Amino acid sequence: MTALCLGASAASAAGEHAGEAGTFNLLLENDAFAATDHHYTNGLEISYLTAPRSRGSIAFRLAEMLPGNDHGQVRVGWQFGQTIFTPNNKDARDLVPEQRPYAAWLYGGASIVYSGRGHIDTWSLLLGTVGPNAQGEALQSAVHDWLGNNESRGWKNQIGNRIGGMLVVERKWRALALTGVALGADLMPHVGISLGNVASYANAGFTLRFGNGLGTDFGPPQIRPSLPGSGLFEPRGEWAWYLFAGVDGRMVERNIFVDDNDLEPLLAIEKQPWVTDVQAGVVLTRGDFRMSCMFVHRSEEFDTQLEPDRFGSLAFTWRF
C-alpha cells in the first residue's frame, strides 16, 4: 500500500493555491487490502468541504453557539457514502446463525467543521437507508463479477429496509507538539459521541504523528465509526509526509448491523459493548493533493465473532 501511495503522490500535479479553497475527498475502505472478505467488507465515501464561510453566514452563526468557540474558521461539509457487511459464510443461501447478517447502509450528510486554535470540531448529520434499498448486493455483485471473485449467495437474508440516521459530534486537538527544522511530532487526543438508530456510541482515543507538514491537517478522513479525521487540508509547501498511529475506544449502545434489527432473534448474536480500533498509516502530500494509506484492526463487534476485523483504507484529497 505504501508503494501505491508513493506512486500516486508522485503523479499528482504540483502547485498551491493562494488564499482559501475547498477540498474534495474520495475515500475507499475494503477488507481485501487485509486479505479477508467478511464482516465490514467495503466502504465508499465522497465528500466536499467548503472554503471558510464568512462571519455573516448561517454556518458561522451556528458555530458561534458551539462550546469552546475561539473565533476560528467555519466550513460546511457534504458527503455521500455506502458501507457493506457480510457474514463469514457467504456460500450459504439461508440465514447463518451466530454470524452477522448481510447489510448495507446508503447515506448522505451535512457537516459544520470548526477549526480553532489547535483543535477541530465536527458536527455531522447523516441520513439514509439500511436494507435492500441501499444497493449493497448490486454493488458487491458487480465488483465480484469484475474481479472474478465468488458470488455471495445469501443476500436475500439481509436486514430489511428502514430509514436510518446519526448525529455525530467530535472534537480533536493538538495536546502536544514538538517541531524541528525538518521533522516534528504531535499527539492529538479526540472525543466524540453518536446518537441515532443506526449507531449510538461514545468514543475517545488519540493519534500520534511523526514527519513534516503536520500543520496541514488533523488527519485524513475516515468512514464512521472510526478515529475522527477531516477533509480539512491546508498545504504549506510543495512536499510533505507523516506517519501516524492511533487508538479509539467506543462504548456502544446501539449497532443496527448487529443488534436490534428484524433478523437478530434468528441469529442469536449480541453486540459487544466495547469496541476498539487500532490503526497505522502514512500521509503524503504534494501541492494541493493529499493521499493517505492506512491499515485498521477492529476488535470483535458481537459475542460470536470468531476474529477481529481487518481492513485497509485509501483516501485522496484535492484542494481547489
Side-chain angles (χ1 to χ4, degrees):
M1 292 176 66
T2 302
L4 179 59
C5 288
L6 291 170
S9 184
S12 66
E16 181 177 356
H17 291 302
E20 300 297 342
T23 56
F24 173 80
N25 297 275
L26 173 62
L27 176 57
L28 172 66
E29 296 180 348
N30 196 285
D31 58 354
F33 296 132
T36 64
D37 189 18
H38 56 239
H39 301 159
Y40 175 42
T41 188
N42 188 73
L44 178 66
E45 183 177 283
I46 57 175
S47 65
Y48 179 73
L49 187 65
T50 69
R53 303 290 85 187
S54 66
R55 292 188 174 273
S57 66
I58 295 176
F60 195 93
R61 292 176 181 176
L62 289 173
E64 286 281 298
M65 297 185 290
L66 302 180
N69 180 286
D70 54 9
H71 306 291
Q73 294 182 331
V74 178
R75 294 170 171 83
V76 176
W78 309 96
Q79 58 251 76
F80 178 79
Q82 182 197 55
T83 55
I84 298 175
F85 305 84
T86 63
N88 287 64
N89 184 352
K90 293 181 294 301
D91 293 326
R93 297 183 182 274
D94 297 325
L95 194 67
V96 184
E98 300 187 352
Q99 295 189 22
R100 74 181 306 154
Y102 288 88
W105 158 233
L106 184 69
Y107 61 90
S111 303
I112 293 178
V113 178
Y114 177 87
S115 54
R117 295 171 185 160
H119 74 271
I120 185 169
D121 294 341
T122 303
W123 295 66
S124 298
L125 178 63
L126 306 178
L127 297 173
T129 181
V130 174
N133 287 342
Q135 299 300 310
E137 179 182 9
L139 179 63
Q140 188 184 60
S141 297
V143 172
H144 279 204
D145 287 344
W146 179 56
L147 297 175
N149 293 343
N150 293 333
E151 177 188 2
S152 297
R153 302 177 184 274
W155 271 103
K156 69 176 183 179
N157 304 300
Q158 67 178 300
I159 294 173
N161 285 321
R162 66 194 64 198
I163 300 299
M166 299 164 57
L167 174 65
V168 183
V169 181
E170 300 164 335
R171 166 166 284 201
K172 193 172 190 178
W173 65 95
R174 292 190 178 96
L176 177 65
L178 302 173
T179 57
V181 176
L183 298 175
D186 63 13
L187 170 67
M188 295 192 299
H190 66 263
V191 294
I193 188 170
S194 170
L195 300 173
N197 68 333
V198 174
S200 293
Y201 58 82
N203 67 306
F206 64 89
T207 301
L208 289 167
R209 303 191 298 174
F210 172 79
N212 60 24
L214 299 179
T216 63
D217 64 18
F218 284 85
Q222 294 178 252
I223 296 174
R224 296 179 178 91
S226 64
L227 282 78
S230 175
L232 177 64
F233 173 49
E234 298 178 309
R236 301 176 184 179
E238 184 66 11
W239 284 93
W241 65 272
Y242 62 81
L243 304 174
F244 65 92
V247 178
D248 178 74
R250 294 187 292 279
M251 294 182 61
V252 182
E253 170 61 27
R254 179 180 173 84
N255 179 352
I256 196 173
F257 308 112
V258 173
D259 66 355
D260 196 18
N261 59 68
D262 50 338
L263 298 177
E264 188 275 330
L266 303 174
L267 293 169
I269 62 175
E270 184 176 343
K271 73 173 182 297
Q272 292 285 3
W274 180 264
V275 179
T276 302
D277 280 10
V278 179
Q279 69 175 30
V282 58
V283 170
L284 301 170
T285 70
R286 185 183 180 188
D288 292 324
F289 177 82
R290 174 182 68 182
M291 182 175 184
S292 69
C293 304
M294 75 180 75
F295 179 84
V296 181
H297 180 282
R298 178 167 293 167
S299 68
E300 292 83 353
E301 294 188 274
F302 57 96
D303 55 358
T304 57
Q305 185 173 335
L306 299 179
E307 60 181 0
D309 283 351
R310 300 181 300 277
F311 57 91
S313 173
L314 296 174
F316 306 89
T317 300
W318 294 267
R319 185 174 182 265
F320 58 92

